[in-house]
Each structure stands twice: as structure tokens, then as C-alpha cells.
Amino acid sequence: MERQIANEHIFDEIPGNKGPRVITDRGAVAHVVRPPGSHRLRPREHMVAVMLAASPGIRVSFDHQRVHEYDGDAGTISVMPANSEREVTWSSTCEKVIVTMPPQRLLELSAHEFGAGRAVLQPPPFGLIDLRALHLAEMLKAELAREVPSKIYIESLITIFGVHIVRNYTGADSLPPRRKSGGGLSNRSAERVRELLESRFASKITVGELAAVSGLSPRHFIQAFTKTFGESPHRYVLRLRLNFAEELLVESVLSIAEIAHLSGFSDQSHLTVTMSKHRNRTPRQVKQQR
């Protein structure tokens, strides 16, 4: 088994022959394939790893605390805050995409997304699968595999990835106040539903799935959701998709068609019609404001 001790930079402990990597002003990314082994590291930047293939038998400990064991499936995400220490042992070949981001960049994305005060990373439970992060990781892998990867495109994907991390793995956002009349979701149910929607808003999710999370019938769930959040589930998801699309239109160099797909719209026309109706402007007009 190979054994490496990390140096100051997060990628220094990963041999160059283990996979390509690109370093940009907004962060860095590497596609890594490693045989069974172990490493100990204390990165100076935030680090997120997404498994691209199953890798059973992973053992990890943070800051010399107790060891956790789990099987890593494709899409398993690991979030490591800057300056925390981690030791990992893996018993089978491990393929993953690693994205690093300077703490200041996370603060900038957090301030843009939520305002001040939401930039503390909260690592998810060990073994959590994040399909949206997997999709972005696969896009990064594909670009790294090109003969000459586009730094601008990779920077855009890192920004999108960073927004996803800020939205789902930072300090808990406060829930909307409950109405005095009652009849809304419990705080626990509201938080679970909010987390589910924010992680899956770009994919198809039914009212039945959301209702099951809350233990309610679909009809009662819609009433309780609307009372808690002040809008219907459909409008809530639509707002998340439009917010994300506008963010990409301003921050990235992706085409409008690509942004429509990543934001959960069927095509560019669908995004244009929806944005015109609800935001009184077209994607092209938003993009021109960059």
C-alpha cells in the first residue's frame, strides 16, 4: 500500500501520474485514480472530493477523532474544511474528482448567495451520495481529459460547483417564520424538505416524494408547504431554478443552452419563456449585464 504525507498544497501529496489537474484563480481540480493506500493531510484550502466509481472499504478520521468506516459509491461526497486534518485509508482502487477552493472564494460565493454570515462548511455524513455533485465532477473529468483543457471553462464549472457547496454544505440557513395560524410543516420536516429541494431542484421531483419526507398526503403537504414557505412547491422550485440560472449567466461562460440544462429547464426556449414571464427579462439580457 502506498503511503503519502501531505505538503502545504493540497495537490502536492498526489503524484502527477495519478491523474490530470488544473489550477486556476478560483480554485483547482484534479481527476485522481489511486491504488489501495492511505494518506494524511491538512489542506490550507477547502477540499471537496466526489467518488466517480465504487470504492468499498474506506476508513477516515478527522483531527485525530474516532475512525469512521463506510463503502464509497459513485457520487459519494466528502467535504473537508481548510486547515482541518484528515487521515484516510482505502482498500480498493479509488477514482475521484477533487476540487479545492480558497476560503476567501467561499466567502465571496456565500456573500453573493446569502449575504454575510454563512460561510462555515459543515461536512455531510460519511457515505452521503450527491448526484448533482457527481454530474459536475463528471463534466470536470471530461474537460481534464481533453488534450488542452480550457481554463475558462474549468473556472466556470468550479464556480458552479462552489455555489452548490455553499447552498448545501455551509451553516444552516434560518427557516422562514411559521405563521401563527398553524397548519404548516414542523421545523424538522421543513428543514428536510428545504435541503431536498435545494440539492435536487434541477432534476424532476414529485409532490409525492416531498410529501413522503414529511409524512403527509400530497394534498395536505401542498397546504402545509405553502403556509410554511409562503409559496407553492412549484413556485419554490421555479424560483431556485431561475436564481441558479441567473447566477450562471452572470458568473460563467457557459452557453444559454448549457445553463438551461444545468438549471433544470428542458431547453433554452423553456428557460427564456419562463424567465421572461417571472423576471421580466431574457437570459440574453442577464448575460449582457456581466
Side-chain angles (χ1 to χ4, degrees):
M1 294 175 70
E2 61 178 28
R3 179 79 179 179
Q4 298 286 340
I5 301 298
N7 294 317
E8 185 178 11
H9 192 276
I10 184 61
F11 288 161
D12 289 349
E13 63 90 28
I14 302 175
N17 62 359
K18 301 304 178 184
R21 71 281 319 272
V22 169
I23 298 173
T24 77
D25 292 336
R26 297 192 175 189
V29 60
H31 170 226
V32 178
V33 180
R34 304 187 75 174
S38 64
H39 64 205
R40 183 186 302 119
L41 67 161
R42 182 186 290 274
R44 66 185 182 187
E45 298 181 346
H46 299 313
M47 184 193 83
V48 180
V50 181
M51 304 291 297
L52 297 179
S55 180
I58 297 175
R59 303 175 76 247
V60 58
S61 65
F62 282 92
D63 296 321
H64 304 291
Q65 297 180 6
R66 70 184 182 90
V67 175
H68 300 267
E69 298 186 26
Y70 64 95
D71 293 330
D73 295 318
T76 298
I77 188 169
S78 173
V79 178
M80 185 176 181
N83 300 312
S84 61
E85 186 171 296
R86 184 182 76 164
E87 184 164 4
V88 183
T89 300
W90 56 100
S91 59
S92 59
T93 298
C94 179
E95 181 186 9
K96 56 189 173 183
V97 162
I98 299 173
V99 177
T100 70
M101 188 172 298
Q104 182 57 40
R105 179 58 179 160
L106 187 79
L107 287 170
E108 292 171 357
L109 291 176
S110 181
H112 182 77
E113 188 72 14
F114 303 110
R118 183 173 175 173
V120 178
L121 279 178
Q122 294 186 339
F126 294 101
L128 178 74
I129 293 176
D130 185 329
L131 296 180
R132 183 166 180 78
L134 175 60
H135 176 63
L136 293 170
E138 289 173 337
M139 293 177 69
L140 285 163
K141 173 188 173 181
E143 187 62 26
L144 287 171
R146 293 172 61 89
E147 184 175 351
V148 182
S150 167
K151 245 186 173 181
I152 295 177
Y153 185 64
I154 287 177
E155 278 190 340
S156 297
L157 290 176
I158 288 175
T159 296
I160 298 167
F161 192 89
V163 171
H164 177 69
I165 296 304
V166 164
R167 287 180 171 178
N168 295 281
Y169 304 107
T170 55
D173 193 19
S174 59
L175 290 171
R178 293 280 296 277
R179 297 193 178 184
K180 293 182 180 180
S181 58
L185 297 171
S186 68
N187 285 340
R188 182 178 180 183
S189 292
E191 180 69 12
R192 291 175 65 186
V193 168
R194 183 186 68 80
E195 290 176 351
L196 180 61
L197 288 175
E198 291 197 355
S199 64
R200 292 183 52 190
F201 68 85
S203 58
K204 183 178 180 180
I205 182 168
T206 67
V207 171
E209 291 178 87
L210 296 172
V213 170
S214 306
L216 299 172
S217 69
R219 182 172 66 85
H220 287 149
F221 170 77
I222 293 174
Q223 294 173 349
F225 183 98
T226 303
K227 189 170 287 292
T228 298
F229 291 95
E231 58 187 337
S232 69
H234 173 74
R235 291 297 296 268
Y236 188 96
V237 170
L238 191 62
R239 179 168 56 81
L240 290 177
R241 289 178 175 178
L242 288 172
N243 287 349
F244 188 62
E246 288 184 339
E247 177 114 21
L248 297 186
L249 288 165
V250 172
E251 293 277 350
S252 77
V253 295
L254 299 175
S255 69
I256 295 176
E258 289 174 313
I259 290 171
H261 173 70
L262 289 173
S263 304
F265 295 94
S266 57
D267 53 32
Q268 180 174 335
S269 177
H270 185 200
L271 171 60
T272 299
V273 170
T274 305
M275 186 172 287
S276 297
K277 177 180 178 180
H278 295 279
R279 299 292 168 90
N280 296 315
R281 52 184 178 173
T282 66
R284 195 169 302 279
Q285 289 172 326
V286 175
K287 207 170 184 64
Q288 290 173 348
Q289 295 176 1
R290 294 175 56 186

